[in-house]
Amino acid sequence: MERIPILKLGDLLLVTVQVELHDQLALTLQDDLTNMLARTRARGVLIDISGLEIVDSFIGRSLGNIAAVAGIMDATTVLVGMRPAVAITLVELGMSLRGIRTALNVDKGMALLRESVDEPGATPSPS
Amino acid sequence: MERIPILKLGDLLLVTVQVELHDQLALTLQDDLTNMLARTRARGVLIDISGLEIVDSFIGRSLGNIAAVAGIMDATTVLVGMRPAVAITLVELGMSLRGIRTALNVDKGMALLRESVDEPGATPSPS
């Protein structure tokens, strides 16, 4: 069965989305990520979408759902590697990716997560 | 065009192979990785194949070529996340993945790379 691998990097999880996130794949990813968060007790999730040329409203919503579920599992999600064209399209479509923080690349996303995880009593702000 | 994203994690590069590495894709990956090594001066490359259910002789050879090219660019390659079934098949096929170091997962691969890069007597990078 097709699934997106989730990598453990220290106390963070990294998901690299390289294929169109269709319905079943998004649900499988959500399930796998939830299980992985429970097992590893990770506090941060990085989702890299540098491999995606298109982010439509379905993918945007799926990513939002995944971030929401991770949030309930006490983990902060940061979306990284968005291509400039994708960012422009999102704004043109009026999609705000509410509830998901973003960073330019994995390094910056990691720094952001470490900050927010280390902050005592920090509530993740929707960017 | 289809391509596999290469992520920069500090001074390492991470490649997550999730789709069958066909001919053109392997060549593109090799090109992209070489450019990325030149640009970032990274000293280590992690290739995660936890998403692959099958590693045949073509993929094995492609990974070997990529590791060899990275080696010439003064970077060490570590293959991580191999599924148990894949490891068994490789041995049964008599494929030794010569020239490629392996580690169980990304965390262990990173530790291995940091050790080998930090090794005293290692030639300093021109950064």
Side-chain angles (χ1 to χ4, degrees):
Chain A
M1 202 184 70
E2 197 189 12
R3 60 189 342 134
I4 296 175
I6 300 170
L7 306 182
K8 189 174 159 296
L9 295 179
D11 52 349
L12 304 177
L13 300 181
L14 173 68
V15 181
T16 320
V17 182
Q18 298 178 9
V19 291
E20 209 64 14
L21 261 188
H22 56 75
D23 202 14
Q24 187 53 49
L25 192 58
L27 285 179
T28 308
L29 175 58
Q30 194 173 303
D31 271 11
D32 288 350
L33 190 63
T34 323
N35 288 329
M36 195 89 170
L37 282 172
R39 206 167 64 232
T40 62
R41 296 160 196 250
R43 297 290 309 278
V45 178
L46 283 163
I47 303 182
D48 176 83
I49 57 166
S50 60
L52 292 186
E53 286 181 21
I54 297 164
V55 172
D56 58 15
S57 61
F58 176 77
I59 298 180
R61 210 166 44 240
S62 299
L63 293 173
N65 286 346
I66 288 169
V69 172
I72 294 175
M73 303 285 289
D74 197 22
T76 308
T77 302
V78 176
L79 198 65
V80 301
M82 189 184 293
R83 299 189 184 196
V86 169
I88 292 168
T89 313
L90 286 181
V91 171
E92 281 174 351
L93 290 175
M95 286 176 55
S96 60
L97 291 180
R98 230 174 334 167
I100 311 185
R101 304 173 82 167
T102 52
L104 204 57
N105 54 37
V106 176
D107 278 345
K108 290 192 200 297
M110 276 185 158
L112 182 62
L113 277 176
R114 295 210 193 282
E115 259 174 40
S116 68
V117 167
D118 292 343
E119 244 168 50
T123 45
S125 63
S127 56
Chain B
M1 202 183 72
E2 196 189 11
R3 63 189 340 134
I4 296 175
I6 300 169
L7 307 182
K8 188 175 160 295
L9 295 179
D11 53 348
L12 304 177
L13 299 182
L14 173 68
V15 180
T16 320
V17 182
Q18 297 177 10
V19 291
E20 209 64 13
L21 260 189
H22 56 76
D23 202 13
Q24 187 53 50
L25 191 58
L27 285 178
T28 309
L29 175 59
Q30 194 173 304
D31 271 12
D32 289 350
L33 191 62
T34 322
N35 287 329
M36 194 88 171
L37 282 172
R39 208 168 62 233
T40 63
R41 296 158 193 250
R43 297 290 308 281
V45 178
L46 283 163
I47 302 181
D48 176 84
I49 56 166
S50 60
L52 293 186
E53 286 180 22
I54 298 165
V55 172
D56 57 16
S57 62
F58 175 77
I59 297 180
R61 209 165 46 241
S62 300
L63 292 173
N65 286 346
I66 288 169
V69 172
I72 293 175
M73 305 284 289
D74 197 22
T76 308
T77 302
V78 176
L79 197 65
V80 302
M82 189 185 292
R83 298 188 185 196
V86 169
I88 291 168
T89 313
L90 286 180
V91 171
E92 281 174 351
L93 289 175
M95 287 175 57
S96 60
L97 291 180
R98 231 174 333 167
I100 311 185
R101 305 173 81 166
T102 52
L104 204 58
N105 54 37
V106 176
D107 278 345
K108 290 193 200 297
M110 277 184 157
L112 182 62
L113 277 177
R114 294 209 194 282
E115 257 173 42
S116 67
V117 168
D118 293 343
E119 239 166 55
T123 45
S125 61
S127 60

